[in-house]
Amino acid sequence: MKFDDLDLKMRVYETAQDRSVLPEMYMVARIDGRSFTKLTKETYPFEAPFDQQFRDHMVETVKHLMTCGFNIIYGYTESDEISLLFHIAETAFSRKTRKYISILAGEASAKFSSLLGGVGAFDCRLSELPNQELVTDYFRWRNEDAHRNALNAHCYWKLRKDNHSEREATNKINGLSTSQKNELLFQYGINFNELPNWQKRGIGLYWHEVEKEGFNPKTNKATTVIRRELFVNYDLPMRDDYNRFILSLLHHNDNNISNNLNTTLNNTNTPNNKTKT
Ligand SMILES: Nc1nc2c(ncn2[C@@H]2O[C@H](COP(=O)(O)OP(=O)(O)O)[C@@H](O)[C@H]2O)c(=O)[nH]1
Ligand SMILES: [Mg+2]
């Protein structure tokens, strides 16, 4: 069989199940560390419940994902997970879900492993959200998850360091209300409200436009240029203020939508069976 015929015959098996995210749907990817309970407690002795170096590895991984070829307007990390909000007019890979999921899991695993000096792998899933309210709900959900995790993790490790077994500590925490957990920490001399916000709310990354001094070789004169820089926010707002913060990011990026949307529609409708995908 000629190569071209064989190529045509076999490629269909790879691509028949391909699907793309519809235009005007918001895409949010969540990338999560695989078996990081073992990685952080057995393979590597990270400090519990929160380790600054582990946090910094996660932040660097988010930066890498936000600059590896996609148009991502917001990155968020808490615990061993990363959420990424794509620009609504993102057109990369004709919005094929398998490309986003496999590339982001691969890039995150590669970056994190190189920082760690060992193997740390991530999985990835994609939410397709039809409106801005659901996008703010998504990020509020992860923000609340960070808050609950932080309270539980601080309680758990205080008990463990106070001679409770894994089972005793877990059972004790499961039977407590939120205010009782706060009280438990208080008895160990910790005021939960005073713990660093990054532990309780997670960390957000987004683009800032900054003016930089440049040099124009044609005119031989100094000039100012506008550059995009990633800003890392370790003091995110919480509750309804956080929903409003996400909404403001979405509105800020709305300006370019109408222009870009035409491109989205054109690109997603272009059949490209022949091109290597
Ligand atoms: N020691 C330590 N562990 C962390 C830190 N951040 C996240 N983890 C752990 O990462 C794990 C994340 O939970 P999950 O994704 O549900 O578990 P997995 O399925 O084992 O990856 C939990 O066991 C957390 O305690 C940290 O800063 N220090
Ligand atoms: Mg995990």
Coordinates of all heavy atoms in Angstrom, one line a residue, residues 29 31-32 36 57-70 72 82 84 86 93 98-116 118-124:
A29 N -9.2 24.7 32.5 CA -8.5 23.4 32.7 C -8.1 23.3 34.1 O -7.7 24.3 34.7 CB -7.2 23.4 31.8
I31 N -5.5 21.1 36.4 CA -4.3 20.2 36.3 C -4.0 19.9 37.8 O -3.9 20.7 38.7 CB -3.1 21.0 35.7 CG1 -3.4 21.3 34.2 CG2 -1.8 20.2 35.8 CD1 -3.7 22.8 34.0
D32 N -3.9 18.6 38.1 CA -3.8 18.1 39.5 C -2.7 17.1 39.6 O -2.5 16.2 38.8 CB -5.2 17.5 39.9 CG -5.2 17.1 41.4 OD1 -4.5 16.1 41.8 OD2 -5.8 17.9 42.2
F36 N 0.0 13.0 44.9 CA 0.9 13.9 45.6 C 0.9 13.8 47.1 O 1.7 14.3 47.8 CB 0.6 15.4 45.1 CG 1.4 15.8 44.0 CD1 1.8 15.0 43.0 CD2 1.9 17.2 43.9 CE1 2.5 15.4 41.9 CE2 2.6 17.6 42.8 CZ 3.0 16.7 41.8
H57 N 7.3 26.0 43.5 CA 7.3 25.1 42.4 C 6.0 25.2 41.6 O 6.0 25.2 40.4 CB 7.6 23.6 42.8 CG 9.0 23.3 43.3 ND1 10.0 24.2 43.1 CD2 9.5 22.2 43.8 CE1 11.1 23.7 43.6 NE2 10.8 22.4 44.0
M58 N 4.9 25.2 42.4 CA 3.6 25.3 41.8 C 3.4 26.6 41.0 O 2.9 26.6 39.9 CB 2.5 25.1 42.8 CG 2.4 23.7 43.5 SD 2.1 22.3 42.3 CE 0.4 22.7 41.8
V59 N 3.8 27.7 41.7 CA 3.7 29.0 41.0 C 4.5 29.1 39.7 O 4.1 29.5 38.7 CB 4.1 30.1 42.0 CG1 4.3 31.5 41.3 CG2 3.1 30.3 43.1
E60 N 5.8 28.5 39.8 CA 6.6 28.5 38.6 C 5.9 27.6 37.5 O 6.1 27.9 36.3 CB 8.0 28.0 38.9 CG 8.9 28.9 39.7 CD 9.0 30.3 39.0 OE1 9.3 30.4 37.8 OE2 8.7 31.3 39.7
T61 N 5.3 26.6 37.9 CA 4.6 25.7 36.9 C 3.4 26.4 36.3 O 3.2 26.3 35.1 CB 4.1 24.4 37.6 OG1 5.3 23.8 38.2 CG2 3.5 23.4 36.6
V62 N 2.7 27.2 37.1 CA 1.6 28.0 36.5 C 2.2 29.0 35.5 O 1.6 29.2 34.4 CB 0.8 28.8 37.6 CG1 -0.4 29.6 37.0 CG2 0.3 27.9 38.7
K63 N 3.3 29.7 35.8 CA 3.9 30.7 34.9 C 4.2 30.0 33.6 O 4.0 30.5 32.5 CB 5.1 31.3 35.5 CG 4.9 32.3 36.6 CD 6.2 32.9 37.1 CE 6.1 33.7 38.3 NZ 7.4 34.0 38.9
H64 N 4.8 28.8 33.7 CA 5.2 28.0 32.5 C 4.0 27.8 31.6 O 4.0 28.0 30.4 CB 5.9 26.8 32.9 CG 6.2 25.9 31.7 ND1 7.2 26.2 30.8 CD2 5.7 24.7 31.3 CE1 7.3 25.3 29.9 NE2 6.4 24.4 30.2
L65 N 2.9 27.3 32.3 CA 1.7 26.9 31.5 C 1.0 28.2 30.9 O 0.5 28.1 29.8 CB 0.6 26.3 32.4 CG 1.1 24.9 33.0 CD1 0.0 24.4 34.0 CD2 1.3 23.9 31.9
M66 N 1.2 29.3 31.5 CA 0.6 30.6 31.0 C 1.4 31.2 29.9 O 1.0 32.1 29.2 CB 0.4 31.6 32.1 CG -0.7 31.2 33.1 SD -1.0 32.3 34.4 CE -2.1 33.6 33.6
T67 N 2.6 30.6 29.6 CA 3.5 31.2 28.6 C 3.9 30.1 27.6 O 4.9 30.3 26.9 CB 4.7 31.8 29.2 OG1 5.3 30.9 30.1 CG2 4.4 33.1 30.0
C68 N 3.2 29.0 27.5 CA 3.7 27.9 26.7 C 2.8 27.8 25.4 O 2.8 26.7 24.8 CB 3.7 26.6 27.4 SG 2.2 25.8 27.7
G69 N 2.2 28.9 25.0 CA 1.6 28.8 23.7 C 0.1 29.0 23.6 O -0.5 28.9 22.6
F70 N -0.6 29.1 24.8 CA -2.0 29.3 24.8 C -2.3 30.7 25.3 O -1.4 31.4 25.9 CB -2.7 28.3 25.8 CG -2.6 26.9 25.4 CD1 -1.6 26.1 26.0 CD2 -3.4 26.3 24.5 CE1 -1.5 24.7 25.7 CE2 -3.3 25.0 24.1 CZ -2.3 24.2 24.7
I72 N -4.0 32.4 27.9 CA -4.6 32.1 29.2 C -4.7 33.4 30.0 O -3.7 34.1 30.2 CB -3.8 31.1 30.0 CG1 -3.9 29.7 29.3 CG2 -4.3 30.9 31.4 CD1 -2.9 28.7 29.7
I82 N -3.9 23.3 39.8 CA -3.8 24.5 39.0 C -5.0 24.6 38.1 O -5.4 23.7 37.5 CB -2.5 24.5 38.1 CG1 -1.2 24.5 38.9 CG2 -2.5 25.7 37.1 CD1 0.0 24.1 38.1
L84 N -6.7 27.0 35.0 CA -6.4 27.9 34.0 C -7.6 28.4 33.2 O -8.4 27.5 32.7 CB -5.4 27.3 33.0 CG -4.1 26.8 33.6 CD1 -3.3 26.0 32.5 CD2 -3.2 27.9 34.1
F86 N -9.0 30.2 29.9 CA -8.6 30.6 28.6 C -9.3 31.8 28.1 O -10.5 32.0 28.5 CB -8.8 29.4 27.6 CG -7.9 28.3 27.8 CD1 -8.1 27.3 28.8 CD2 -6.7 28.2 27.1 CE1 -7.3 26.3 29.0 CE2 -5.8 27.1 27.3 CZ -6.1 26.2 28.3
F93 N -5.1 24.9 18.3 CA -5.4 23.5 17.9 C -6.9 23.4 17.6 O -7.5 22.3 18.0 CB -5.0 22.6 19.0 CG -3.5 22.7 19.4 CD1 -3.1 23.3 20.6 CD2 -2.6 22.2 18.5 CE1 -1.8 23.4 20.9 CE2 -1.2 22.3 18.8 CZ -0.8 22.9 20.0
R98 N -8.5 17.1 23.2 CA -7.4 16.2 23.5 C -6.1 16.9 23.5 O -5.1 16.5 24.2 CB -7.4 15.0 22.5 CG -6.9 15.3 21.1 CD -6.8 14.0 20.3 NE -6.7 14.3 18.9 CZ -5.6 14.6 18.2 NH1 -4.5 14.7 18.8 NH2 -5.7 14.9 16.9
K99 N -6.0 18.0 22.6 CA -4.7 18.7 22.6 C -4.5 19.5 23.9 O -3.4 19.5 24.5 CB -4.7 19.7 21.4 CG -4.7 19.0 20.0 CD -3.5 18.1 19.8 CE -2.3 18.9 19.4 NZ -1.2 17.9 18.9
Y100 N -5.5 20.1 24.4 CA -5.4 20.9 25.6 C -5.1 20.0 26.8 O -4.2 20.3 27.6 CB -6.7 21.7 25.9 CG -6.9 22.8 24.9 CD1 -7.3 22.6 23.6 CD2 -6.7 24.1 25.3 CE1 -7.5 23.6 22.7 CE2 -6.9 25.2 24.4 CZ -7.3 24.9 23.1 OH -7.5 25.9 22.2
I101 N -5.8 18.9 26.9 CA -5.6 18.0 28.0 C -4.3 17.4 28.0 O -3.6 17.4 29.1 CB -6.8 17.0 28.1 CG1 -8.1 17.6 28.4 CG2 -6.5 15.9 29.1 CD1 -9.3 16.8 28.2
S102 N -3.8 16.9 26.9 CA -2.5 16.2 26.9 C -1.4 17.2 27.0 O -0.4 16.9 27.7 CB -2.4 15.3 25.6 OG -2.5 16.1 24.5
I103 N -1.5 18.3 26.3 CA -0.3 19.2 26.3 C -0.2 19.8 27.7 O 0.9 19.9 28.2 CB -0.5 20.3 25.3 CG1 -0.3 19.8 23.9 CG2 0.5 21.5 25.5 CD1 -0.7 20.7 22.7
L104 N -1.3 20.2 28.3 CA -1.2 20.9 29.7 C -0.7 19.9 30.7 O 0.2 20.2 31.6 CB -2.5 21.5 30.1 CG -2.9 22.7 29.2 CD1 -4.3 23.1 29.5 CD2 -2.0 23.9 29.5
A105 N -1.2 18.6 30.7 CA -0.7 17.6 31.6 C 0.8 17.4 31.4 O 1.6 17.3 32.3 CB -1.4 16.3 31.5
G106 N 1.2 17.3 30.1 CA 2.6 17.1 29.8 C 3.5 18.2 30.2 O 4.6 18.0 30.8
E107 N 3.1 19.4 29.8 CA 3.9 20.6 30.2 C 4.1 20.8 31.7 O 5.1 21.1 32.2 CB 3.4 21.9 29.5 CG 3.4 21.9 28.0 CD 4.8 22.3 27.5 OE1 5.7 22.6 28.3 OE2 5.0 22.3 26.2
A108 N 3.0 20.6 32.4 CA 3.0 20.8 33.9 C 3.9 19.7 34.5 O 4.8 20.0 35.3 CB 1.6 20.6 34.5
S109 N 3.8 18.5 34.0 CA 4.6 17.4 34.6 C 6.1 17.7 34.3 O 7.0 17.5 35.2 CB 4.2 16.1 34.0 OG 2.9 15.8 34.2
A110 N 6.4 18.1 33.1 CA 7.8 18.4 32.7 C 8.4 19.5 33.5 O 9.5 19.4 34.1 CB 7.9 18.7 31.2
K111 N 7.7 20.6 33.7 CA 8.2 21.8 34.4 C 8.4 21.4 35.9 O 9.4 21.7 36.5 CB 7.2 23.0 34.2 CG 7.7 24.2 34.9 CD 8.9 24.8 34.3 CE 9.5 25.9 35.1 NZ 10.7 26.5 34.4
F112 N 7.3 20.8 36.5 CA 7.4 20.5 37.9 C 8.5 19.5 38.2 O 9.3 19.7 39.2 CB 6.0 20.0 38.4 CG 6.0 19.8 39.9 CD1 5.6 20.9 40.7 CD2 6.3 18.6 40.5 CE1 5.5 20.8 42.1 CE2 6.2 18.5 41.9 CZ 5.9 19.5 42.7
S113 N 8.7 18.5 37.3 CA 9.7 17.5 37.5 C 11.1 18.2 37.5 O 12.0 17.8 38.3 CB 9.6 16.4 36.5 OG 8.4 15.7 36.7
S114 N 11.3 19.1 36.5 CA 12.6 19.7 36.4 C 12.9 20.6 37.6 O 14.0 20.6 38.1 CB 12.8 20.5 35.1 OG 12.0 21.7 35.2
L115 N 11.9 21.2 38.2 CA 12.1 22.0 39.4 C 12.4 21.1 40.6 O 13.2 21.4 41.5 CB 10.9 22.8 39.7 CG 10.6 24.0 38.7 CD1 9.2 24.5 38.9 CD2 11.6 25.1 38.9
L116 N 11.7 19.9 40.7 CA 11.8 19.0 41.8 C 13.1 18.2 41.7 O 13.6 17.8 42.8 CB 10.6 18.0 41.7 CG 10.4 17.0 42.8 CD1 9.9 17.7 44.1 CD2 9.3 16.0 42.4
G118 N 13.1 15.3 40.2 CA 12.5 13.9 40.2 C 11.2 13.9 39.5 O 10.8 14.9 38.9
V119 N 10.5 12.8 39.5 CA 9.3 12.7 38.8 C 8.1 13.2 39.6 O 7.8 12.7 40.7 CB 9.0 11.2 38.3 CG1 7.7 11.1 37.6 CG2 10.1 10.8 37.4
G120 N 7.4 14.2 39.0 CA 6.1 14.6 39.6 C 5.1 14.8 38.4 O 5.3 15.6 37.5
A121 N 4.1 13.9 38.4 CA 3.2 13.9 37.2 C 1.8 14.5 37.5 O 1.4 14.5 38.7 CB 3.0 12.5 36.7
F122 N 1.2 15.1 36.5 CA -0.1 15.7 36.7 C -1.1 15.2 35.7 O -0.8 14.8 34.6 CB 0.0 17.2 36.4 CG 0.7 18.0 37.4 CD1 2.1 18.0 37.5 CD2 0.1 18.8 38.4 CE1 2.8 18.7 38.4 CE2 0.8 19.5 39.4 CZ 2.1 19.5 39.4
D123 N -2.4 15.1 36.1 CA -3.5 14.9 35.1 C -4.1 16.2 34.8 O -3.8 17.2 35.3 CB -4.5 13.8 35.7 CG -5.3 14.4 36.8 OD1 -5.4 15.6 37.0 OD2 -5.9 13.5 37.5
C124 N -5.1 16.1 33.8 CA -5.7 17.4 33.4 C -7.2 17.1 33.0 O -7.4 16.0 32.4 CB -5.0 18.0 32.3 SG -5.7 19.5 31.7

